[in-house]
């Protein structure tokens, strides 16, 4: 089966089919989520936290994104590959944004890029899409703004904030974004945005009324039991699965049960 294209993805959206997106950062996980039938794989700058162990996404570099995007694109065959543009790879100037996004496609083999922003990113989005770079605009809670926000909070709670977000959504649609990612948006505002625009909205922590959903793969797999925000549904006990398997392995090595004859090679 061939890789899904953006027109095919939009066809699904127009038919009312919910779109699915998940993050992945390496070829093995990419091949698994691909096999499961995910529509889009996001190489999120969340890799700064779940792969690199930082507290925020701020330290992630363009080199990191390119490296992981290449791994994911090699491991997957069907899903649309979306590379996140990291902090300061696109905010400095429109030229920098074009070069960073171009690298994500040329070197990372991504099919599209995602970038966080409000009205100040509309012009950049216009230039990127005009240059043939498909864009997902990330609005609402923007983790790259953590130092300004001082914490993660839900957006679009007041009528005024909701109005502002709807204007932003419309502006990104007009600028050519093929989808919007809504993070941490009040359910009612996410629904209004979804009803207002004619491009899909992919939600995280934004309720059911988006055109699709996205989650960070390690969160969904339950790798970190101490991370349990309200928006997250954990679909597997990945923490127990891995620690149990590794404990069994340690025990069998110590007891000289592994490697058994079955796993060993003999002279002729
Ligand atoms: O970086 C990321 O993984 C993201 C998701 C949380 C949507 O932006």
């Amino acid at each position: 089966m061939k890789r899904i294209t953006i027109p095919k993805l939009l066809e699904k959206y127009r038919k009312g089919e919910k779109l699915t997106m998940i993050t992945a950062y390496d070829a093995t996980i990419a091949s698994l989520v691909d096999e499961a039938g995910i529509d889009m794989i996001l190489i999120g700058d969340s890799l700064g936290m779940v792969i690199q162990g930082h507290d925020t996404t701020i330290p992630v570099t363009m080199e990191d994104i390119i490296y992981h995007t290449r791994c994911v694109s090699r491991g997957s065959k069907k899903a649309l590959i979306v590379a996140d543009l990291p902090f300061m790879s696109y905010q400095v100037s429109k030229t920098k944004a074009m070069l960073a996004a171009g690298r994500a496609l040329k070197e990372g083999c991504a099919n599209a890029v995602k970038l966080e922003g409000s009205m100040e990113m509309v012009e950049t989005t216009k230039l990127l899409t005009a240059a043939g770079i498909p864009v997902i605009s990330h609005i609402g809670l923007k983790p790259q703004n953590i130092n300004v926000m001082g914490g993660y909070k839900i957006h679009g709670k007041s009528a005024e904030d909701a109005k502002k977000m709807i204007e932003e959504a419309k502006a990104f649609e007009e600028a050519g974004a093929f989808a919007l990612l809504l993070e941490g948006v009040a359910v009612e505002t996410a629904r209004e945005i979804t009803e207002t625009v004619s491009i899909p909205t992919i939600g995280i922590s934004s309720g059911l009324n988006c055109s699709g959903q996205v989650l960070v793969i390690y969160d969904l797999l339950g790798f970190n039991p101490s991370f349990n925000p309200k928006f997250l549904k954990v679909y597997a006990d990945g923490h127990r699965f891995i620690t149990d398997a590794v404990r069994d392995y340690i025990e069998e090595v110590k007891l000289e049960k592994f490697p058994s004859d079955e796993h060993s090679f003999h002279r002729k």
Side-chain angles (χ1 to χ4, degrees):
M1 199 183 170
K2 287 212 304 235
R3 199 177 286 288
I4 192 166
T5 60
I6 291 171
K8 280 264 175 297
L9 202 75
L10 296 177
E11 207 177 295
K12 280 189 178 200
Y13 155 72
R14 285 189 203 104
K15 283 184 185 156
E17 201 180 311
K18 289 276 182 177
L19 303 180
T20 58
M21 179 189 250
I22 201 162
T23 68
Y25 316 97
D26 66 76
T28 303
I29 297 283
S31 75
L32 293 174
V33 299
D34 211 52
E35 188 182 321
I38 203 83
D39 291 315
M40 290 173 275
I41 303 179
L42 172 68
I43 300 82
D45 61 359
S46 51
L47 72 84
M49 298 164 91
V50 297
I51 300 288
Q52 299 174 331
H54 296 295
D55 288 338
T56 71
T57 60
I58 300 295
V60 176
T61 65
M62 198 59 215
E63 271 59 39
D64 296 332
I65 292 289
I66 288 171
Y67 172 80
H68 289 281
T69 305
R70 285 172 79 86
C71 296
V72 167
S73 53
R74 280 195 290 264
S76 72
K77 290 190 172 59
K78 297 183 287 187
L80 192 86
I81 305 297
V82 183
D84 221 355
L85 294 188
F87 185 57
M88 281 301 124
S89 67
Y90 60 98
Q91 291 94 339
V92 177
S93 70
K94 294 185 183 68
T95 309
K96 270 210 140 194
M98 295 283 275
L99 292 172
R103 287 188 71 196
L105 267 62
K106 285 165 75 83
E107 298 173 45
C109 304
N111 306 117
V113 297
K114 169 173 90 60
L115 53 119
E116 297 180 12
S118 300
M119 285 303 189
E120 81 290 347
M121 277 302 144
V122 169
E123 278 306 308
T124 301
T125 304
K126 233 182 239 176
L127 289 174
L128 291 174
T129 54
I133 300 175
V135 173
I136 297 183
S137 302
H138 181 151
I139 61 175
L141 194 166
K142 298 181 279 291
Q144 290 178 17
N145 280 1
I146 180 70
N147 288 305
V148 177
M149 295 182 304
Y152 299 117
K153 68 172 183 77
I154 297 298
H155 290 245
K157 274 177 140 181
S158 67
E160 193 188 346
D161 201 16
K163 191 164 166 265
K164 197 170 140 254
M165 285 200 67
I166 293 167
E167 290 312 312
E168 272 173 17
K170 288 200 291 199
F172 280 119
E173 179 182 17
E174 271 168 37
F178 76 93
L180 299 169
L181 193 144
L182 309 184
E183 178 162 1
V185 179
V187 172
E188 299 76 9
T189 306
R191 179 173 41 73
E192 270 191 80
I193 293 172
T194 305
E195 286 171 358
T196 303
V197 295
S198 307
I199 53 174
T201 56
I202 311 297
I204 177 165
S205 188
S206 301
L208 198 58
N209 298 305
C210 299
S211 323
Q213 298 291 330
V214 56
L215 280 178
V216 169
I217 179 97
Y218 292 171
D219 298 347
L220 170 156
L221 293 177
F223 278 10
N224 179 1
S226 58
F227 184 67
N228 45 27
K230 180 175 159 73
F231 75 83
L232 177 64
K233 179 164 178 188
V234 175
Y235 285 83
D237 193 348
H239 179 263
R240 170 169 289 192
F241 179 76
I242 291 185
T243 51
D244 279 359
V246 175
R247 266 190 208 111
D248 287 350
Y249 164 69
I250 292 169
E251 191 181 310
E252 291 204 353
V253 168
K254 289 187 191 278
L255 294 173
E256 293 187 347
K257 282 185 170 175
F258 177 82
S260 66
D261 219 35
E262 184 196 347
H263 298 106
S264 304
F265 301 91
H266 291 276
R267 283 194 300 206
K268 274 197 184 151

